[in-house]
Amino acid sequence: MLITFKSKAAAEVVMYKEHAKRILYLLHKDVERGVITAAETAGAIAKLEAEIAESRLHSVSEEVQHDVAAHHGDSGDDNDHEPVEIVTFSSRAYPLLEMLRAAHKEGRDVVWGV
């Protein structure tokens, strides 16, 4: 399922619900529907930037490595899969972070599920 973040300060940001959960949990927001008010944007930006910085300090988790190994043979055979490209938390969060920055600059809210 997809979540569409909207703000009058920026273009819509569409994200898989699975990926948005981590961000919204960090911001103490409901996944189904919510708002980050203009007054909350500065705090949301700071929390998201801190989490991005923290995530960059850690290598790919064992869970991801196990999943990759399950799709590749012992001899490095890719089983007709595309080369592995891991999408980091910072890459997934960046579009929403940019929306939050624009919303903060213009004094606008960010909403989803409405």
Side-chain angles (χ1 to χ4, degrees), residues 40-86:
E40 294 174 315
T41 56
I45 291 166
K47 284 182 183 179
L48 201 48
E49 286 175 339
E51 186 69 14
I52 288 169
E54 178 67 23
S55 73
R56 288 181 174 161
L57 297 176
H58 304 288
S59 63
V60 177
S61 73
E62 289 180 23
E63 182 180 324
V64 171
Q65 289 176 348
H66 175 72
D67 186 50
V68 168
H71 294 287
H72 295 270
D74 293 333
S75 64
D77 180 24
D78 70 1
N79 296 326
D80 296 326
H81 291 281
E82 294 293 321
V84 177
E85 292 184 34
I86 296 170

Side-chain angles (χ1 to χ4, degrees), residues 10-106:
E12 292 180 352
V13 172
V14 179
M15 189 179 299
Y16 282 111
K17 184 177 183 179
E18 172 186 330
H19 301 141
K21 280 182 183 180
R22 180 174 176 192
I23 296 169
L24 295 173
Y25 176 77
L26 177 70
L27 301 176
H28 306 288
K29 298 292 183 177
D30 184 79
V31 175
E32 300 301 324
R33 180 183 331 185
V35 61
I36 300 170
T37 65
E40 294 174 315
T41 56
I45 291 166
K47 284 182 183 179
L48 201 48
E49 286 175 339
E51 186 69 14
I52 288 169
E54 178 67 23
S55 73
R56 288 181 174 161
L57 297 176
H58 304 288
S59 63
V60 177
S61 73
E62 289 180 23
E63 182 180 324
V64 171
Q65 289 176 348
H66 175 72
D67 186 50
V68 168
H71 294 287
H72 295 270
D74 293 333
S75 64
D77 180 24
D78 70 1
N79 296 326
D80 296 326
H81 291 281
E82 294 293 321
V84 177
E85 292 184 34
I86 296 170
V87 180
T88 63
F89 174 75
S90 60
S91 295
R92 293 193 194 282
Y94 186 77
L96 183 58
L97 178 59
E98 286 299 299
M99 175 183 271
L100 287 167
R101 287 177 177 152
H104 179 70
K105 183 178 179 180
E106 294 185 23

